Amino acid sequence: MSIRWKKQPSSFLASFLPPVLWLAIFFIVPMAIIWLYSFGESTSLTEISLTGTFANYAKVFDSLYIGILVKSVFIAGLTTVLCLVFGFPIAWLMTFVGPRTQGLLLLAVMLPFWTNLLIRTYALIAVLRTEGYVNTMASWFGLGPYPLLYNNFAVLVGLVYVHLPFAVLPLYSALDRLDRSSLEASLDLGAGHLRTVFYIAIPACWAGIFSAAFITFIPALGSFLTPELLGGPSGQMIASVIERQFKRANDWPFGAALSFLLVYLTIAIVLCRNYFERKKAQGGEA
Amino acid sequence: MSAKKNRAPLAYGRSKRLWVWTGLVFLFLYLPLLSVMLFSFNDSRRTIVWQGFTFRWYEKLAGNGELLQAFGNSLFIAIVCTILSLILGSLSAFALWRFKFGLKSAFDSAMTVPMVVPEICMGVAMMVFFTRIVPWPVGLSWPFNLGAIIISHTTFAFPFVAMVVRARLNSFNMEFEEAARVLGAGPFDVIKDITIPHVRPALIAGGLLAFTLSLDDFVITFFTAGPDTLTFPVKVYSMLRFSVTPEVNAASTLLIVITALVTVLAMRFTGKSGVTAGKE
């Protein structure tokens, strides 16, 4: 299939160099600078000297920031779990319907996903605010008004709302590859549907579930817009803190350290996933 | 098969409970969007009470120069970003598929990083890069003032295109290419007449993906945009900070309708892969 590049050096370089240069200049260099800044100190309003200090990372352990970091991880984790729980039955249904219904369901899952994030967040504001639809309906029954917006609950609802399709698609593609005869065997041997799901389906597509979790957790952890618009002062997550360091507080080295903490976390999760996948592949061969 | 049961063992498509669950989740996904669309026609400033049908907000929208300009900026950025991403994405997919080279796996993993790095990190990196390191000249006339945003969008969009195109190239039968060569086609004829037609669905899917990713992006634009460059999401964001107005409902409705049309078209042209491209 693929050939040694020296056989056709000109066509190799023509196809290889532009993307590599683009990636190096417009991605690796900017990220590297932020990484260097995370070991630097602000010497004046615009100057940053790279002193190799770890003070910025140490500052994270300040109770204020570590609290927000832990809360962000917790909310992103809860979002992931809820997305998997809500999404799994849909993915399951999609796997077992006819091709036409399947296409329609897929479209229905994807449509909100392709819709502008800001508009979806705005739509949630309209639903959750004090004069919003939920509270208006509650008032018909003499209930409420409930404080549904500008708190951690709103952030959680928003993150689940935004990331649910992220979870459904990998779940669906994992379940679609499932060996159906083992499901049938389980059902024939007298196991109930739930038992079959928990003891046969879920263990068999663990990798797919893990990748659905991964694809939901990372963007949820780093999300800025949803907590910013739905959260209010008490509902902030780590991205808002990063933004503040870069824009208002003008403490770039600390902001850089915070954003690289997110990058380190992401890398750790990716490595973790790769490790599990390799282990699973080896187990499959043995 | 067991004859005792009314339902075949795996006929989950007929499970009422699954359908109810799915229906409820879809209600959760769609109700907010539908209510925004409905109330964009509501003849009242207080958006919640229905006071009668009107096109007033759409007329106001058409008169809102700043919002229209922001929308135009967003469209222009998305189009240029799509073109650049298609070029860079296809080139890298081609290089990775066709050739063996020393840094292949390093390049391969470097390409996936922009797809997984949290947006906020890339946003601040781009901001520092374009203000301190290689400052994008300010005061340029349109569309050159959008350059920094276009570059940033292309950086996160083209790896997605590469991924989609590469998946398609893997199903390419090299014997076609050999046959064409034997029959006298030059290397460029082969690419033009054999390879590109084969990957066309992936190009359409990847292009639509890049277009939507760019049109959707708020965070990176928020950090890279200068004071005089406004995009649609950034403008809507600042409108939302002040108040929720029916005008935003109207603008949102337009964008929802455009998105729905594009998604349905993508599905028409490319089958399922066009809609789920790169998002699995």
Side-chain angles (χ1 to χ4, degrees):
Chain A
M1 280 289 275
S2 46
I3 58 172
R4 294 251 318 275
W5 71 274
K6 278 183 182 155
K7 281 197 173 171
Q8 295 174 0
S10 56
S11 83
F12 168 70
L13 290 178
S15 61
F16 177 68
L17 279 184
V20 160
L21 288 178
W22 185 287
L23 206 61
I25 299 170
F26 296 123
F27 183 70
I28 294 172
V29 168
M31 293 302 280
I33 287 160
I34 291 286
W35 186 68
L36 288 175
Y37 273 8
S38 74
F39 300 103
E41 283 171 73
S42 298
T43 46
S44 74
L45 212 57
T46 51
E47 292 292 313
I48 292 166
S49 60
L50 306 175
T51 51
T53 173
F54 281 91
N56 299 310
Y57 289 98
K59 201 174 163 189
V60 176
F61 293 96
D62 218 306
S63 62
L64 173 68
Y65 301 113
I66 198 81
I68 293 185
L69 190 65
V70 168
K71 191 189 100 180
S72 304
V73 170
F74 177 73
I75 288 196
L78 199 55
T79 301
T80 308
V81 171
L82 288 176
C83 284
L84 291 178
V85 170
F86 288 139
F88 191 89
I90 301 180
W92 188 260
L93 181 64
M94 266 159 66
T95 311
F96 293 103
V97 292
R100 210 185 137 72
T101 321
Q102 194 179 54
L104 285 174
L105 281 174
L106 204 55
L107 185 68
V109 171
M110 294 305 296
L111 262 182
F113 195 16
W114 286 82
T115 306
N116 195 295
L117 176 64
L118 199 69
I119 289 175
R120 283 187 288 163
T121 313
Y122 163 66
L124 267 186
I125 294 178
V127 170
L128 294 177
R129 70 207 167 104
T130 316
E131 318 87 66
Y133 309 117
V134 172
N135 270 322
T136 307
M137 271 191 266
S139 73
W140 296 342
F141 302 99
L143 299 169
Y146 300 106
L148 298 171
L149 200 55
Y150 307 126
N151 50 33
N152 288 321
F153 167 79
V155 176
L156 188 65
V157 173
L159 288 177
V160 171
Y161 183 66
V162 167
H163 293 96
L164 193 59
F166 274 95
V168 173
L169 288 177
L171 282 179
Y172 160 69
S173 70
L175 287 175
D176 203 39
R177 283 194 292 262
L178 208 63
D179 178 15
R180 293 183 184 201
S181 53
S182 56
L183 297 180
E184 258 173 307
S186 160
L187 290 170
D188 272 355
L189 292 169
H193 294 293
L194 279 179
R195 241 175 115 94
T196 305
V197 166
F198 281 105
Y199 288 94
I200 310 290
I202 290 181
C205 59
W206 197 235
I209 293 173
F210 199 75
S211 95
F214 156 88
I215 223 167
T216 315
F217 181 78
I218 289 177
L221 181 64
S223 50
F224 171 68
L225 197 58
T226 315
E228 195 70 5
L229 282 175
L230 299 175
S234 71
Q236 283 186 347
M237 285 171 69
I238 192 71
S240 305
V241 182
I242 296 176
E243 187 256 355
R244 221 168 31 233
Q245 300 310 317
F246 275 93
K247 291 220 155 166
R248 272 161 287 174
N250 204 29
D251 188 353
W252 288 17
F254 181 51
L258 281 176
S259 65
F260 254 87
L261 266 185
L262 274 188
V263 175
Y264 299 143
L265 261 171
T266 309
I267 293 172
I269 297 170
V270 173
L271 289 180
C272 217
R273 186 178 86 139
N274 289 352
Y275 173 76
F276 278 122
E277 269 178 4
R278 204 165 308 136
K279 211 170 145 189
K280 193 169 184 291
Q282 280 166 359
E285 280 161 28
Chain B
M1 295 286 143
S2 62
K4 290 171 283 182
K5 291 178 192 155
N6 306 329
R7 209 169 82 186
L10 291 180
Y12 287 108
R14 269 180 270 150
S15 156
K16 273 209 188 84
R17 268 179 291 178
L18 276 178
W19 276 108
V20 168
W21 184 283
T22 305
L24 287 176
V25 172
F26 280 154
L27 216 59
F28 170 59
L29 284 180
Y30 280 94
L31 221 51
L33 290 176
L34 289 178
S35 60
V36 163
M37 293 171 83
L38 181 68
F39 280 88
S40 73
F41 298 106
N42 185 19
D43 195 7
S44 157
R45 236 198 192 270
R46 272 179 55 79
T47 40
I48 178 68
V49 189
W50 183 259
Q51 302 241 308
F53 186 86
T54 181
F55 276 117
R56 185 146 65 102
W57 309 116
Y58 288 88
E59 284 158 21
K60 262 195 107 176
L61 185 69
N64 187 335
E66 227 184 12
L67 193 64
L68 287 181
Q69 197 200 353
F71 194 65
N73 279 347
S74 275
L75 275 181
F76 180 81
I77 294 167
I79 288 168
V80 180
C81 165
T82 304
I83 295 168
L84 287 174
S85 301
L86 277 175
I87 295 170
L88 291 168
S90 326
L91 285 178
S92 38
F94 183 77
L96 280 167
W97 166 74
R98 192 82 170 87
F99 298 107
K100 275 188 238 166
F101 50 97
L103 292 170
K104 187 168 178 165
S105 63
F107 178 50
D108 199 2
S109 11
M111 290 271 294
T112 60
V113 183
M115 296 193 280
V116 291
V117 156
E119 260 189 301
I120 183 94
C121 306
M122 215 169 137
V124 295
M126 288 303 185
M127 171 184 139
V128 171
F129 184 75
F130 282 118
T131 53
R132 291 283 171 83
I133 311 302
V134 189
W136 191 260
V138 286
L140 293 177
S141 61
W142 193 89
F144 300 103
N145 56 351
L146 305 175
I149 303 177
I150 292 173
I151 289 173
S152 310
H153 283 195
T154 306
T155 303
F156 69 72
F158 93 81
F160 284 98
V161 178
M163 190 175 71
V164 177
V165 173
R166 204 172 156 203
R168 178 78 188 170
L169 274 173
N170 279 335
S171 68
F172 182 73
N173 189 343
M174 294 288 262
E175 283 161 12
F176 290 143
E177 195 187 313
E178 277 161 35
R181 292 305 293 272
V182 169
L183 292 169
F188 287 103
D189 294 326
V190 172
I191 289 179
K192 183 165 68 74
D193 295 331
I194 313 282
T195 319
I196 290 183
H198 178 79
V199 296
R200 182 165 293 140
L203 291 178
I204 296 174
L208 287 168
L209 191 62
F211 186 81
T212 335
L213 283 173
S214 166
L215 205 60
D216 201 28
D217 176 72
F218 167 77
V219 175
I220 290 167
T221 316
F222 181 64
F223 285 101
T224 40
D228 55 338
T229 47
L230 213 51
T231 69
F232 183 74
V234 174
K235 175 70 189 156
V236 173
Y237 177 79
S238 67
M239 286 170 86
L240 284 189
R241 289 249 104 162
F242 294 114
S243 69
V244 173
T245 67
E247 228 176 312
V248 180
N249 283 342
S252 305
T253 304
L254 283 181
L255 208 62
I256 294 172
V257 170
I258 293 175
T259 316
L261 285 177
V262 169
T263 314
V264 172
L265 278 180
M267 219 164 173
R268 266 276 155 77
F269 279 121
T270 60
K272 273 193 291 191
S273 65
V275 197
T276 59
K279 299 213 168 182
E280 286 180 26

